[in-house]
Every structure is written in C-alpha cells, then in structure tokens.
Amino acid sequence: MKKRILILLLFILSLTSFAIPLNNMDKDGNVTLPNIELVDQNGKKHNLKDYKGKVVMINFWVSWCSDCKGEMPDVVELYKEYGENKKDLIILGVVTPISKEYPDNKDRIGKKELLKYIADNEYIFPSLFDETGKVYKEYEIDEYPSTFIIDRNGHLKVYVKGAVSKEELKQHIESVLNPIQK
C-alpha cells in the first residue's frame, strides 16, 4: 500500500510544474534537501545541518524581482514575529550575486551592491550568499521567490514557487511548527 501511495505521489509531482529536488527521498516519502553551508550579509556562517530540531524557512530571492520586493517586508515581519531565529523557527534568505567568475548567477548585481541593497531595504533576516550559484542549482530554483519549509527532522514539508501573502506564509509555517498529530 505504501509503495502505491509513493508511486502515486511521484506521478502527481511529475505532472506539476514544480521542480522539487526529489533525489533525496526516503522509503517513507520524506525529502531531505541538500545541505547549505554559506555566509550571510553579516559574515556569519550558516550550516543547514546545525538547525536540525528547528523548523527552517529558506527563501530564495533576487534583487530585480518585483514579487520578491513585495514579499521581503513580510519575511522581515515574520522574522521579527517568530523571535529573530532565537526560537523554534529559523528564517534564511539565499541570494546569488553575479560576478566575473560566475556570470550565470541569477542576480544582476554583484556582492557589494547586493550588501548595500539588503542594508538599504532593512532585510534584517540572514541572507546567505551563494556566490558560486551551486545552491540555486541544487535546489533547482527557476522562479523567484521560492520558499522551502523544512520540519524539525530536516524533511521538506512545504514548497512554494512564487510569491505568497504574509498570511499564507504564516499558515505554512504554523502547519510545520504545530503539525496535527494522527
């Protein structure tokens, strides 16, 4: 029975336009996303593995995206509302500045300009710098913003492709922070 459900789930996912990295799916259908080890705008190193036991929301964004610009103030509000990464929810952004070494990165401005952009817009949540574009490729990011919410066990529970309202993000966060027990 479990095998049939898993096959049905994979079939349904294949019909959607969502690109979810499913190469790390276990026998129970739990997806573990690739690890992230990057440095944020303040020089602090983050390792996704260090957040096991917490719920993690990862928001991939770019500076030129109007949907991202609309969503970022909500992400900042949620970051403050949920304790600025000092409680059960960790909120991380991921950006990929363009450079001479990596001209195919998704943002259109370099690291220095992106640091200024983050400061000017008061995006106070950690934004991790994917300077090589490796993480964007591993997570198969092709739309901005893209948001992943990972449970306390490190399994993907929510994937949102495109912008959503603060209320929707909060509902997704709450569904993972406080899952209904069966």
Side-chain angles (χ1 to χ4, degrees):
M1 183 68 176
K2 275 187 178 182
K3 189 175 182 180
R4 285 184 183 174
I5 292 171
L6 181 58
I7 290 169
L8 181 61
L9 174 66
L10 289 172
F11 175 74
I12 291 168
L13 287 173
S14 72
L15 295 177
T16 68
S17 63
F18 299 109
I20 301 173
L22 295 176
N23 53 341
N24 292 324
M25 183 182 289
D26 68 17
K27 62 180 175 45
D28 296 322
N30 294 312
V31 174
T32 303
L33 296 170
N35 191 41
I36 296 175
E37 282 187 84
L38 296 171
V39 175
D40 70 20
Q41 73 268 34
N42 300 311
K44 181 182 177 195
K45 187 175 184 179
H46 296 262
N47 185 330
L48 194 56
K49 289 180 182 176
D50 293 341
Y51 298 122
K52 193 155 187 179
K54 305 267 186 179
V55 170
V56 181
M57 182 181 104
I58 307 168
N59 184 277
F60 290 81
W61 62 275
V62 290
S63 64
W64 51 263
C65 163
S66 59
D67 285 344
C68 299
K69 289 176 187 176
E71 189 175 86
M72 289 301 106
D74 292 340
V75 174
V76 171
E77 285 179 27
L78 290 168
Y79 175 73
K80 290 177 183 177
E81 198 173 310
Y82 282 93
E84 299 183 1
N85 290 357
K86 294 179 181 99
K87 295 184 179 178
D88 290 333
L89 177 68
I90 304 297
I91 294 178
L92 305 170
V94 181
V95 294
T96 182
I98 197 165
S99 67
K100 287 180 183 174
E101 301 86 64
Y102 299 98
D104 294 331
N105 280 0
K106 304 303 179 190
D107 216 309
R108 296 177 183 159
I109 59 177
K111 183 176 181 180
K112 186 177 177 182
E113 295 85 6
L114 200 47
L115 284 165
K116 182 178 179 347
Y117 179 85
I118 290 168
D120 288 351
N121 287 286
E122 299 178 357
Y123 297 164
I124 59 172
F125 59 92
S127 285
L128 314 183
F129 279 73
D130 178 18
E131 295 185 59
T132 65
K134 179 181 179 242
V135 173
Y136 268 64
K137 284 182 186 133
E138 288 178 336
Y139 276 69
E140 302 176 21
I141 304 301
D142 63 0
E143 188 170 322
Y144 315 101
S146 285
T147 304
F148 297 81
I149 302 178
I150 303 165
D151 72 8
R152 288 174 169 85
N153 297 313
H155 299 133
L156 175 64
K157 292 298 174 189
V158 178
Y159 173 58
V160 181
K161 190 174 186 176
V164 294
S165 69
K166 179 184 175 188
E167 293 74 29
E168 287 175 282
L169 274 177
K170 191 169 183 170
Q171 285 175 351
H172 290 309
I173 289 167
E174 286 296 324
S175 75
V176 180
L177 273 174
N178 304 301
I180 297 170
Q181 300 297 322
K182 293 179 182 177

